[in-house]
Amino acid sequence: MAPASAVARKIPAPRLTGTNAYGAMLTVAHEPRLGPQPNSLDNAVANATHWVQLSNARRPDAMWLEAGAMMQRLVPRAEWVRYMRKIRVDRGALTGREWFEVTRVRDPVGLPAGDYLNVIFIAQFARAVLFETVSLAPGSAGWMPVGYVIRPVQREISFVQ
């Protein structure tokens, strides 16, 4: 499933006939202006995608530098680099990735209270198919990565024989 692209379209205002006072009160004098939405879902998916693409390019240092201060305080840079290199060695080369789901998480354990987003990707590596979850926290410039977890995709179990 690919993310829907944000396209701004001008919607024509409804035409009122007659002198209906209630209808006149319901019309909007000015159309709302759409501009950059730093904490939109599109921004979250774009930021998470950019961040995991740094992993593709074998740039764990850049991932750590672009992460939110919260993650940088919790995970030392050298530990992050070792973790990301181990993932590559264990799973092999990435052969494909697409985003699968975005979920909201409220007040996660171990992090400051608030609303967070998880952008979940399905990633095909040479030796495994995995879910990659990028956790994001809202920031002044948009969603900031604050965590990354990978786990195996479970195959459905059939109980009918």
Side-chain angles (χ1 to χ4, degrees):
M1 181 186 321
S5 60
V7 177
R9 294 187 182 162
K10 186 173 182 178
I11 300 171
R15 300 206 183 265
L16 298 176
T17 57
T19 56
N20 183 336
Y22 292 113
M25 287 191 311
L26 296 174
T27 62
V28 177
H30 302 286
E31 292 180 17
R33 296 182 188 261
L34 296 177
Q37 302 293 316
N39 288 329
S40 70
L41 291 178
D42 287 339
N43 179 274
V45 171
N47 286 350
T49 300
H50 166 74
W51 204 58
V52 294
Q53 286 173 344
L54 291 173
S55 168
N56 301 351
R58 291 173 166 64
R59 297 185 56 208
D61 281 323
M63 290 176 78
W64 190 86
L65 289 170
E66 290 188 17
M70 181 186 325
M71 185 186 121
Q72 291 176 346
R73 281 191 304 271
L74 293 171
V75 181
R77 185 176 183 171
E79 186 179 320
W80 177 258
V81 170
R82 276 192 306 275
Y83 172 68
M84 293 306 296
R85 286 190 178 142
K86 182 173 177 12
I87 287 172
R88 285 294 177 197
V89 169
D90 290 349
R91 277 64 177 196
L94 179 76
T95 59
R97 174 189 290 127
E98 64 181 271
W99 76 271
F100 173 70
E101 181 176 69
V102 177
T103 59
R104 184 178 111 189
V105 180
R106 178 168 281 163
D107 303 331
V109 176
L111 294 176
D115 286 326
Y116 296 78
L117 290 181
N118 284 337
V119 177
I120 303 168
F121 298 90
I122 295 180
Q124 295 86 29
F125 290 88
R127 292 185 285 277
V129 178
L130 304 166
F131 284 120
E132 292 179 295
T133 301
V134 177
S135 298
L136 303 162
S140 60
W143 293 99
M144 298 292 299
V146 294
Y148 175 76
V149 175
I150 65 172
R151 58 187 164 75
V153 172
Q154 298 289 326
R155 303 273 187 229
E156 289 188 33
I157 299 171
S158 175
F159 292 103
V160 180
Q161 294 185 5

